[in-house]
Amino acid sequence: MKVLKASDIREYAQSGTEKGPWIRVGMDTGGIAAGAKAVYEALVEAREEAGASIRIEKVGSLGLAYADPVVVFQCESGPPVVFGSMNPDSARELIANHCRKGVLLEDRVMASRDRGESLEGGEQLAILVKDTSAGKHGDRTEFFQQMIQDELDFYGLKSTIRVYRALDMGLYNKGVCLQLLPSRVTYGGVSGPDIRHIIKESLRGGTILEDLLVRGSDPQERIVLRNCGQIDPDSIESYLRADGYSGLVRSLTEMTPEEVIEELKVSGLRGRGGAGFPTWIKWSKTREPQADRKFVICNADEGDPGAFMDRSVLEGDPHAVLEGLMLSAYAIGADKGFFYIRAEYPLAVERVQRAIDQAREAGLLGENILGTDFSFDAEVRLGAGAFVCGEETALIASIEGRRGSPEPRPPYPSVKGLWGKPTSINNVETLAAASAILEKGGAWYSGFGTEKSRGTKVFAVTGKVRNSQLVEVPMGIPIRTIIEDICGGAGTESPIKAVQTGGPSGGVIPLQHMDTAVSYESLQSLGSIMGSGGMLVMDEKDCMVDVAKFYLNFCVDESCGKCAPCRVGGFQMLQLLEKIHSGEGSMDDIEAIRQICRCMQTASLCGLGQTAPNPVLSTLKYFNNEYIALIEKDKPLAKAGLDLSEEGASW
Amino acid sequence: MERKRMSNTGELGYLFDWVESVQVKVRELVGEWKDREGNLIMILHAIQNEFGYVPRGVANELAKELGISLARIYEVITFYHYFRLVPPGQHNVQVCTGTACYLKGSSELIEELEKRLGVTEGEALPDSEFHLETVRCIGCCGMAPAIVIDGETHGRLCQKDVAGILENQRRGKRV
């Protein structure tokens, strides 16, 4: 690629995405593990055989981890269609049937979450059907499919409208659901007699059945994930066509560093790595001190067990994070940046490295970027598996090639950071949001979210949930909406008991608080934290003492050992928990645990020790009965299968 | 690194060859990193990629090459989970122990693997076919519980899948 000028970048942004039919294959670590490579190869092979002219692109994750491998198909006309749980056979079928005859794939096609409310603008060509209450009374999807087909036959529509079983409707526990295509009008709670009405009135008459219509579309809002699954992460051109680097052009050519910081202030963006410190303050604090050199660091050492937000962003849209890092460098006056990435994420490392190389080739890294005075370069440094390196001072030590031991603060890294120079460290998600903010403006971003928690947050929802996936929602939406409406609620027969947020530094949120709106403050008031955005769903079979022990064990293992409260306190507390868990505990042990927790929270050197008691304290607060059951009855309450329904409303 | 014995040299000759080849290799791996600040961890990554672990002799050479103490190198190696002091087995089995995997039964997978492989987690038997270890979250929580064998991830496993996966891996490598 030639060296880009500001005008070139603007031109790319205006040229938009390439036209023509295309197929995108989600090729992140999760997708590849589920077999996306074989699907990609089968698609390419089938295309060659068929002599079809379809662009087949490798993209990052669409976030739909539960449906991996995921393929999106855009034909000549109509909206793109998502297919999940693909395999090489269905990939070949896709090319042979969908592309040529407009036939969708049974049990692979996924309903659109952007639901239509009008039938205007053309005839309906297909109906997707799924029994979303499947499991309890047996799956009636096939039965309804047959019924619809018979009914269509009756009206002589069988050859014009096809009926498909859908893999996922984006609706859960709403009985039999139907989606009409291409209008995306969706009906829920459909019963046998309704079928005739739908066909008669909607498909032939063109009117909407108000009482069955499912209103409201996907509550998700994609800002950080705007390009994930949409562009080729290995291509800078693909990013440029998606308005990439236009925030950089705008900042370098039209704004002073102070104005960039002001834009961040207007946006209200807070650090997405966990603590939620306002990003603009961090940038301006690092800008203030006089120094011969300054550094910026992207913290991509995602170590929370049960979290994969950063990995997905790095693998799906590495240029957006790089652009964010460049913006932070411009704002604070740094000339060098580092990506500190987990060595356990080889694909993320590879894609970020490629993004850096491409940007350098295009003149976006190096001397006098875009013909301005701004010079900057970035490089990748690998983590080596130490959770404590999420702590800023420990991360700095690690980049310097030392053990990742934290240092007391102050001095803060903004004054004395990497090699003693002022340094700003931001999380992957924060930087990806920053590039969007500089492109579209701070006021636009602050339009999402709540008063104190602006914008959106990405969550990795996993555990005992029906659809493990990545979601990005505006702050302020209830936890229940995320778990139930987006992710489909319980994934097992057993009802959901609690949701754990924030990983080892967070706590559990029991069922009765599920309607709490997500924000930094609300989660904190419940004794948990937002953290980097892991959301672990637990069902009634999960023993909370065991869960507390799991997280504490993690922190004890990961403690750097530098300060006694964390090193000794964590170990002793774990001993007590194990004693209780094995049925040998007493009520005195609980009091001792509380004491150790207080000590660790107040006296530990860094965040790891200060927050390690959170899972223990929150389980003690909300599931005290399970501790007591272990102490008194000598058996874990959850595993003993005791009825817990009176503890709270059922899910 | 090859441990070939030269035709007309004895034990000592072999040793010299070996030391020399380590020196050459270390110099090569240190390469571009030599004069860069904070290079130690990146060089250790390069060494582990090459040898599968960080051999003592190599660490020794590295200390000389960089002009730092061996203790300083070991301080770093032993602090980080990623670095290994013992060679991995022919096949490397890593069980993810992230929370999602834990909730969905990673401990049962470990149990089954230990039973089938005859090794305990983290234990390195010389010349063993499989090396079993647990790792922190691999970020594939959507596919929990997951294991990684020789870099390939297998997800949504249950106890009864283990035997088949091991057998495939064994056969795959023999062909």
Side-chain angles (χ1 to χ4, degrees), chain A residues 65 305-306 308 311 342-343 379 381-385 398 400-404 419 462-463 546 551 554 557-558, chain B residues 33 36-38 41-42 45 72 75 79-82 97 99-100 102-104 136-139 141 143 153 156:
Chain A
F308 52 100
R311 195 208 58 170
R342 288 189 84 191
E379 70 173 74
R381 289 293 172 103
L382 299 180
S398 187
E400 288 175 355
R402 298 184 281 125
R403 298 168 65 110
W419 292 297
T462 61
D546 195 37
Y551 281 114
F554 180 88
D557 211 30
E558 291 293 339
Chain B
W33 286 100
R36 282 159 79 175
E37 282 180 298
I41 291 174
M42 294 306 280
H45 273 292
R72 162 105 172 74
E75 178 193 29
F79 180 81
Y80 294 98
H81 293 283
Y82 196 78
T97 54
T99 325
Y102 179 76
L103 286 181
K104 289 192 162 180
R136 297 289 181 228
C137 195
I138 54 167
C141 312
M143 315 183 62
T153 313
R156 301 191 185 105

Side-chain angles (χ1 to χ4, degrees), chain B residues 26-40 42-43 61-67:
Chain B
V26 167
R27 239 170 263 145
E28 183 192 316
L29 293 172
V30 168
E32 52 163 336
W33 286 100
K34 172 114 186 175
D35 299 318
R36 282 159 79 175
E37 282 180 298
N39 53 10
L40 182 56
M42 294 306 280
I43 295 171
E61 280 310 315
L62 180 62
K64 281 187 220 153
E65 186 68 24
L66 295 177

